[in-house]
Amino acid sequence: MATPRSPSIRNFFIAAVLLFLIHGVNSFYLPGVAPEDFEKGDELKVKVNKLTSIKTQLPYSYYSLPFSRPEKILDSAENLGEVLRGDRIENSPYVFKMREPQMCSIVGRIKLDTKEAKEFKEKINDEYRVNMILDNLPLVFPIQRQDQESPVYQMGYHVGLKGQYTASKDEKYFIHNHLAFTVRYHKDMQTDSARIVGFEVKPYSVKHEYEGNWNDKNTRLTTCDPHAKHMVVNSNSPQEVEEGKEIIFTYDVEFQESEVKWASRWDAYLLMSDDQIHWFSIVNSLMIVLFLSGMVAMIMLRTLYRDISKYNELETLEEAQEETGWKLVHGDVFRPPKNSDLLCVYVGTGVQFLGMVVVTMMFAILGFLSPSNRGGLMTAMLLLWVFMGLFAGFASARLYKMFKGTEWKKIALNTAVIFPATIFALFFVLNALIWGQKSSGAVPFGTMFALVFLWFGISVPLVFVGSYVGFRKPAIEDPVKTNKIPRQIPEQAWYMHPAFSVLIGGILPFGAVFIELFFILTSIWLNQFYYIFGFLFLVFIILLITCAEITIVLCYFQLCSEDYLWWWRSYLTSGSSALYLFLYSAFYFFTKLEITKLVSGILYFGYMLIVSYAFFVLTGTIGFYACFWFTRLIYSSVKID
């Protein structure tokens, strides 16, 4: 009765996952689906986001600096991914009227004390940028280059800058206190409504002056006066950041009609770098890897066909006794390895990762996880990881039963806990460091509790359900019988040493992804968008093929040299590509980033260690299953007396 019930349980949970994902589609932002129309004079509310710096990688909330504030600060609802990214979206005192230009609008003024002046100087020194949002579009600073017609956009604007007065060697700090906003809109030809398609800024540092006593509502500035048509066009008289200095915050708003349609408004944001090099490099890498993979596959197929034909033609006892190669170890090749329980756990975890990555990429390709949906990608990955625990438990239990294991609950618990606990412990330490820096990137207690609930409340039970279903199924039968006494492994050549072959095996899989890895690291650590998910999916497919083929080739050579300990080596061979990934991340750190603070460096290498560990589990599982299929195939294809 166990067999008929198992598929129904599995199908029920698969249906539950699909229903959850389908329901969750409503919360995803699809470009071109939910535009908002604005009539002339409608209020446009600008929201402020975190302060970011590529030098420290530590985000801070906007109001951690003494900027002008609205009467009441309101937090916007943020999803799980936004909180983990350090986003803190709040309202601002900047209020626009649709298609009604404003000049020299006063936001407020502050007088710096010692602490505030020090905070501003620190943020300017670390090159922090202010991020704002209007109608879900991030604020960008356009940079016009001579060799390009369209400008290059940078996210946000710098808090301030360092400079020197003419004929002075003393370095001063200046704040950007005047913002010239440009809101681009696309007007409907039939109605008078319009949609926002661009949000740009040009920041200036201006030492504002005024006559008489200060009055918040009626003060007229002499440095920026709309009545006298006196506009801010440069920073010839900049505003210093020093104790006791008075800073007045002002802004202009200009509205420009644009031919860009609402559905295409993100195109300019996504083309922030020279994508020709990007595309050429990816295609070149794919072609090389495909060519190598084709050659490997062809050699393997021809050699194996010859081996199997030769073994099956052996008829006399003398010929059988003289046989060499991989057939000779048929009585030991399926002997359970040492630490087989741990192998089952890591294989199950790898299946969980594989499922998460494939489904996430599918959603990304369909547009559900576009950059316009802040935090959507991370939220989707976390939820998919949790629900893929079902398949993790199933895979680990199936392998465990094949190894003649009997305690399925133990293997289920280890699968549900070992990898997440390692990651959570490392994440907790890194989060404590961020918390110590008083950064908004620190995950709040409530969010930490939500993560623990997802882990123990959903993922762990699903792993147990998957393990129960997997263990109830009949054990996988080996194609050949295993001898009672292990065969002695002959002395191996130096190039067949496990450490050497494992390290060699990771080079090709890493070579398949390292160019794409550069752009992924750039998007994460240099605050840029990553959006070419179609190419990423192709690279991932090539990674799968490469991991499988290089592991099969080295496994074949290993068996031919009469070494039958292939279980763990197959996992480590392709998994060793994670070592190269971590080494490349170190190279990227020293050549591309300008991080100088110790805490920021620890955070970088801590997070890259997590990424490398996950990559190890993913690629290792791919290599293991490729060898598992390969060995079962070849040993079931020859006649064993």
Side-chain angles (χ1 to χ4, degrees):
M1 296 297 291
T3 304
R5 278 204 305 265
S6 299
S8 63
I9 296 173
R10 183 176 59 185
N11 292 339
F12 170 77
F13 276 94
I14 292 173
V17 173
L18 290 175
L19 283 173
F20 175 83
L21 292 177
I22 291 170
H23 175 73
V25 166
N26 295 326
S27 64
F28 291 133
Y29 174 87
L30 284 172
V33 173
E36 188 171 356
D37 295 316
F38 296 96
E39 302 292 337
K40 187 174 182 179
D42 283 353
E43 189 174 87
L44 304 177
K45 295 182 178 179
V46 178
K47 296 181 179 181
V48 292
N49 200 350
K50 60 188 176 183
L51 306 174
T52 57
S53 167
I54 60 174
K55 290 186 71 174
T56 69
Q57 302 296 333
L58 292 168
Y60 288 89
S61 65
Y62 177 81
Y63 293 112
S64 63
L65 288 179
F67 287 117
S68 297
R69 302 171 176 232
E71 294 181 1
K72 186 178 180 181
I73 298 176
L74 302 173
D75 291 329
S76 297
E78 293 150 351
N79 59 41
L80 183 61
E82 285 179 299
V83 175
L84 294 175
R85 279 162 36 98
D87 286 345
R88 298 294 182 266
I89 302 172
E90 299 160 312
N91 61 328
S92 77
Y94 297 95
V95 180
F96 307 160
K97 299 288 185 181
M98 185 63 177
R99 289 156 58 194
E100 292 183 2
Q102 295 173 244
M103 185 187 298
C104 300
S105 297
I106 298 175
V107 183
R109 71 165 185 162
I110 60 171
K111 192 170 185 179
L112 297 179
D113 57 26
T114 305
K115 181 183 176 184
E116 292 171 337
K118 181 182 177 183
E119 288 175 345
F120 269 121
K121 287 180 179 180
E122 287 177 349
K123 295 297 185 290
I124 293 172
N125 203 44
D126 289 332
E127 299 180 8
Y128 270 86
R129 305 181 75 90
V130 178
N131 294 283
M132 296 183 179
I133 301 168
L134 177 64
D135 190 34
N136 201 43
L137 274 181
L139 180 68
V140 292
F141 173 60
I143 301 175
Q144 191 66 50
R145 292 183 177 177
Q146 295 181 353
D147 57 338
Q148 294 180 346
E149 295 182 4
S150 57
V152 176
Y153 292 118
Q154 288 186 352
M155 297 288 292
Y157 67 91
H158 283 113
V159 172
L161 51 89
K162 293 187 292 185
Q164 299 170 338
Y165 288 113
T166 306
S168 174
K169 294 182 178 180
D170 295 333
E171 193 171 52
K172 300 288 185 179
Y173 291 84
F174 304 100
I175 186 173
H176 286 138
N177 60 324
H178 180 84
L179 305 177
F181 294 106
T182 300
V183 179
R184 302 186 185 277
Y185 64 92
H186 183 77
K187 191 175 180 182
D188 193 314
M189 300 299 292
Q190 299 179 347
T191 66
D192 196 43
S193 63
R195 295 172 180 172
I196 295 173
V197 295
F199 186 34
E200 301 174 6
V201 69
K202 289 185 178 178
Y204 298 98
S205 181
V206 181
K207 186 179 181 181
H208 284 302
E209 297 176 355
Y210 56 92
E211 297 176 351
N213 296 323
W214 175 265
N215 185 304
D216 287 341
K217 295 183 178 179
N218 300 319
T219 301
R220 287 181 61 174
L221 303 175
T222 58
T223 48
C224 180
D225 189 354
H227 303 284
K229 303 297 182 183
H230 184 192
M231 293 180 62
V232 174
V233 293
N234 55 47
S235 299
N236 285 340
S237 181
Q239 175 65 60
E240 278 188 46
V241 177
E242 290 293 344
E243 181 185 354
K245 294 284 185 180
E246 183 182 63
I247 300 177
I248 300 173
F249 293 94
T250 57
Y251 68 97
D252 303 331
V253 185
E254 179 187 8
F255 289 87
Q256 292 183 2
E257 189 169 357
S258 173
E259 295 181 358
V260 176
K261 294 185 178 180
W262 190 90
S264 304
R265 66 178 188 164
W266 274 87
D267 291 356
Y269 289 77
L270 300 179
L271 298 176
M272 290 189 177
S273 59
D274 191 356
D275 58 319
Q276 289 185 352
I277 298 175
H278 187 171
W279 286 57
F280 174 77
S281 300
I282 293 173
V283 172
N284 185 52
S285 176
L286 292 177
M287 293 302 293
I288 292 173
V289 174
L290 278 173
F291 176 72
L292 290 174
S293 300
M295 288 186 62
V296 168
M298 184 175 65
I299 293 169
M300 288 300 302
L301 287 173
R302 291 188 62 181
T303 307
L304 271 175
Y305 181 77
R306 187 178 67 246
D307 285 351
I308 292 171
S309 299
K310 183 181 72 173
Y311 290 148
N312 287 337
E313 288 173 1
L314 295 176
E315 296 179 356
T316 66
L317 182 61
E318 291 77 8
E319 289 176 324
Q321 289 175 343
E322 292 175 2
E323 69 183 29
T324 57
W326 53 267
K327 187 184 177 185
L328 200 59
V329 294
H330 65 82
D332 298 276
V333 75
F334 293 107
R335 187 182 304 281
K338 294 180 180 179
N339 300 317
S340 59
D341 289 10
L342 188 62
L343 180 63
C344 296
V345 168
Y346 272 93
V347 168
T349 305
V351 169
Q352 190 173 5
F353 255 110
L354 185 61
M356 179 198 73
V357 171
V358 170
V359 178
T360 301
M361 284 192 183
M362 291 298 181
F363 274 93
I365 291 171
L366 292 173
F368 291 109
L369 305 177
S370 71
S372 57
N373 178 34
R374 286 179 305 276
L377 183 64
M378 189 171 291
T379 304
M381 290 177 70
L382 279 171
L383 293 177
L384 285 169
W385 163 265
V386 167
F387 285 102
M388 288 297 167
L390 187 73
F391 301 100
F394 182 84
S396 60
R398 292 286 287 150
L399 192 60
Y400 180 68
K401 190 170 185 179
M402 192 190 76
F403 289 150
K404 306 297 186 294
T406 56
E407 301 177 9
W408 70 271
K409 293 179 182 178
K410 175 185 173 184
I411 207 70
L413 181 63
N414 288 339
T415 303
V417 171
I418 286 181
F419 180 83
T422 306
I423 297 299
F424 192 82
L426 187 54
F427 176 73
F428 188 83
V429 172
L430 295 176
N431 193 62
L433 288 174
I434 300 173
W435 195 279
Q437 297 294 313
K438 299 179 181 180
S439 167
S440 67
V443 178
F445 176 78
T447 305
M448 197 73 79
F449 178 79
L451 292 174
V452 173
F453 172 76
L454 287 173
W455 178 11
F456 286 100
I458 302 177
S459 180
V460 172
L462 285 177
V463 171
F464 270 87
V465 170
S467 297
Y468 173 78
V469 175
F471 200 77
R472 292 287 296 271
K473 284 186 166 292
I476 301 171
E477 295 291 337
D478 295 332
V480 291
K481 292 181 179 180
T482 302
N483 296 333
K484 292 183 179 180
I485 301 175
R487 179 187 178 89
Q488 186 175 357
I489 300 173
E491 187 176 349
Q492 302 292 304
W494 65 269
Y495 52 84
M496 290 306 300
H497 190 275
F500 181 79
S501 62
V502 162
L503 290 175
I504 289 295
I507 294 176
L508 195 58
F510 172 74
V513 299
F514 89 95
I515 293 180
E516 196 65 19
L517 179 66
F518 170 82
F519 293 101
I520 294 174
L521 290 177
T522 300
S523 68
I524 295 173
W525 299 107
L526 296 182
N527 201 24
Q528 296 182 11
F529 289 116
Y530 185 86
Y531 61 96
I532 310 182
F533 291 107
F535 264 104
L536 182 62
F537 186 70
L538 287 176
V539 171
F540 179 68
I541 296 298
I542 294 301
L543 176 66
L544 291 177
I545 297 171
T546 310
C547 285
E549 290 191 344
I550 193 64
T551 312
I552 287 173
V553 169
L554 293 177
C555 180
Y556 172 73
F557 290 149
Q558 180 185 349
L559 294 175
C560 286
S561 62
E562 302 177 20
D563 183 356
Y564 52 83
L565 302 177
W566 64 273
W567 296 97
W568 272 108
R569 198 189 292 194
S570 65
Y571 197 100
L572 297 173
T573 295
S574 53
S576 66
S577 56
L579 173 63
Y580 296 102
L581 187 152
F582 187 77
L583 292 175
Y584 180 78
S585 69
F587 170 78
Y588 184 88
F589 177 86
F590 291 109
T591 57
K592 299 296 180 183
L593 300 182
E594 299 177 3
I595 294 175
T596 54
K597 291 190 175 182
L598 178 62
V599 172
S600 302
I602 293 173
L603 290 176
Y604 175 85
F605 283 104
Y607 284 126
M608 290 312 303
L609 186 61
I610 292 175
V611 171
S612 301
Y613 187 27
F615 193 71
F616 164 75
V617 173
L618 174 66
T619 53
T621 300
I622 296 167
F624 171 82
Y625 272 116
C627 275
F628 184 69
W629 166 82
F630 171 72
T631 51
R632 292 181 63 82
L633 179 66
I634 63 173
Y635 283 101
S636 62
S637 300
V638 296
K639 295 182 290 186
I640 306 294
D641 295 330

